[in-house]
Amino acid sequence: MAAIVGGYAFGWGLIGLALVCLGAFGMPFDEAEHLRNILAVLLYLATFLWAFAARSLVRLSAVRLDGAALMAGLASLLQA
């Protein structure tokens, strides 16, 4: 459960932040959307596999959920 939900939350934060940052750098919306989806799939796979290799489930969950919240919050601030 931690692998699926934590990876999804972390990927969601990356999607929001990547779209805002790529748009700010002048990339067209369609290209930015495709690039962020590719990055999100790769990141989700990496965090999903990390969940099975991690020694501490608490540290893993803290890093992923805190990272997701930080990225989503930063995306909201940058968008405004």
Side-chain angles (χ1 to χ4, degrees), residues 3-4 7 23 29 38 42-43 48 52 59-60 67 73:
I4 295 170
F29 179 77
I38 292 168
L42 294 174
L43 183 77
F48 183 82
F52 294 103
R59 180 176 39 192
L60 171 78

Side-chain angles (χ1 to χ4, degrees), residues 11-46:
W12 186 260
L14 175 77
I15 284 173
L17 184 60
L19 191 58
V20 170
C21 290
L22 292 173
F25 290 133
M27 184 177 278
F29 179 77
D30 292 337
E31 292 179 19
E33 190 175 26
H34 290 292
L35 181 59
R36 66 135 191 194
N37 288 340
I38 292 168
L39 292 174
V41 168
L42 294 174
L43 183 77
Y44 179 79
L45 176 63

